[in-house]
Amino acid sequence: MTRMVVRRLLIGVFVMWGAASVIFVIVRAAPGDPAAVFLGPDASKEQIDRLTAALGLNRPLYEQYFGYLGDVLRLDFGQSYRLGRPAMDAVLERLPATIDLTLTATVIAVVVGLVLGLIAGSRSGGVVDRVVSAATIALQSFPTFWVGIMLVLTFALGLRLLPSAGVGTPAHLVLPAVTLAFPFTAIVARLTRSSVTEAMREPYVQTARSKGLTERQVLLGHALRNSLIPVVTIVGLQMGALMGGAVIVENVFAWPGLGSLVVDAVANRDYAVVQAVTLLIAGIVMVLNIVADVFYTRLDPRIRTEAGS
């Protein structure tokens, strides 16, 4: 187990280096001069040149790159010239809101997805299975921004049951969390359904039935545990994807998280904030993947044996 975690951490180091390199190239390849964008159309060439030099953007690209990597190794993610503060401070200030949204969406998706998957998998080939399968396909097909707009029109403007945007109460979290959970719910449901269907055909399930256990006991006590193995893995992977998907959802619902911060940073060519957000999310995804691997080995004895060898 320890060796497996160490291997994952070593791989994670290269992943973080790759993420840092890719975002460095992307933000500098984007059109627009950060100094000119910040100073506005009335700025003189001297003012723009002075700010460009202050930001270090007049240096050769390779010098900027190695200087940037050195700063990252020292956990110095640069200053946001737009906000007038360290970039990572601004990112960490917004992080709790995104975590709240992501965790809530994950809980909704896992609970609803598991229930739908269990119901469909235990009735494989039946009417319920077909209905759930069609519903999950529909959930994955709808664009996230469209789902958010429809929920706002229905529950905020139409029925006036929930607020349409902002923060302050648990009710403000409902619509953005449900919107973010929509495609993830479909993934969990389809994966659970497939795993349960396969598990219900296994010999150990037939043995449990021969002992006189009810279908509910067989399903929850025997089939479910083995069905959770792939679900645990996909949850770890998808939580990182949810943080990325939160960019759209947070802007639809005016949620003050990383999504709205990074959109503003991109629009204003705030390199430091964009790079800090990218590296933070890459680090979180890496940690989540390691945690998912640990849970995977705990749930599956075969993997646990291989990891310990």
Side-chain angles (χ1 to χ4, degrees), residues 59 64-78:
R59 295 183 297 164
Q64 295 183 46
Y65 175 68
F66 288 111
Y68 164 63
L69 290 183
D71 289 341
V72 169
L73 290 175
R74 295 191 297 271
L75 300 182
D76 178 4
F77 298 92

Side-chain angles (χ1 to χ4, degrees), residues 208-231:
R209 284 173 174 157
S210 67
K211 292 179 179 179
L213 298 180
T214 64
E215 281 298 305
R216 182 177 180 180
Q217 290 174 322
V218 170
L219 181 64
L220 299 180
H222 295 272
L224 179 59
R225 177 169 180 173
N226 288 283
S227 302
L228 285 177
I229 294 174
V231 174

Side-chain angles (χ1 to χ4, degrees), residues 119-131 133 193 197 201:
I119 293 173
S122 61
R123 295 168 174 79
S124 180
V127 175
V128 174
D129 182 24
R130 295 193 187 97
V131 171
S133 297
R193 181 256 177 204
T197 300
R201 300 193 184 106

